[in-house]
């Protein structure tokens, strides 16, 4: 049974797509969604709060918003801290040096226990 779904967002279409899929899964399973945005600094949090307004999701889906200072490497740690059962993560694909080193999404998938 699913209880907690983590959805990191950078406010892009890819992240919105991940939230859409997570919302469907949460609606059918009764899980709670934690929508996470990681800011580069404390001064970015106020602007992110505005962007993180409750997105359009089914009324039966509970979404809790989390804003923290950090980067993509913190996502697996936060998922573990929350006791997440799944992480729904949008990807922009690899570009430039990421084609050699791997995209951030791939790094999260390979490093996460969840």
């Amino acid at each position: 049974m699913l209880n907690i779904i983590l959805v990191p967002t950078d406010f892009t279409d890819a992240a919105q797509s991940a939230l859409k899929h997570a919302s469907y899964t949460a609606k059918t399973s009764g899980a709670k969604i934690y929508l996470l945005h990681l800011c580069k600094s404390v001064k970015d949090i106020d602007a992110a709060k505005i962007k993180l307004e409750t997105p359009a999701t089914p009324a039966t889906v509970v979404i809790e918003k989390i804003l923290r200072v950090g980067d993509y490497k913190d996502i697996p740690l936060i998922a573990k801290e929350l006791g997440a059962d799944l992480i729904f993560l949008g990807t922009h694909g690899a570009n430039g040096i990421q084609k050699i080193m791997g995209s951030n999404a791939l790094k999260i998938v390979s490093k996460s226990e969840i």
Side-chain angles (χ1 to χ4, degrees), residues 17-65:
S17 178
L19 179 59
K20 179 181 173 184
H21 290 287
S23 295
Y24 175 78
T25 302
K27 181 179 177 185
T28 58
S29 68
K32 180 178 185 178
I33 292 177
Y34 283 86
L35 187 59
L36 169 69
H37 179 71
L38 296 171
C39 300
K40 291 182 181 183
S41 69
V42 174
K43 66 182 178 182
D44 297 330
I45 289 178
D46 287 337
K49 280 181 187 177
I50 295 167
K51 289 182 177 180
L52 202 60
E53 291 299 318
T54 305
T57 57
T60 56
V61 175
V62 177
I63 295 181
E64 182 148 340
K65 297 172 262 183

Side-chain angles (χ1 to χ4, degrees), residues 5-18:
I5 298 172
L6 178 63
V7 183
T9 184
D10 57 1
F11 310 115
T12 62
D13 290 340
Q16 187 61 34
S17 178

Side-chain angles (χ1 to χ4, degrees), residues 36-40 68-78 104 108:
L36 169 69
H37 179 71
L38 296 171
C39 300
K40 291 182 181 183
R68 291 192 185 175
V69 174
D71 65 21
Y72 75 93
K73 296 173 194 166
D74 297 321
I75 293 170
L77 301 172
I78 294 168
N104 293 342
I108 292 167

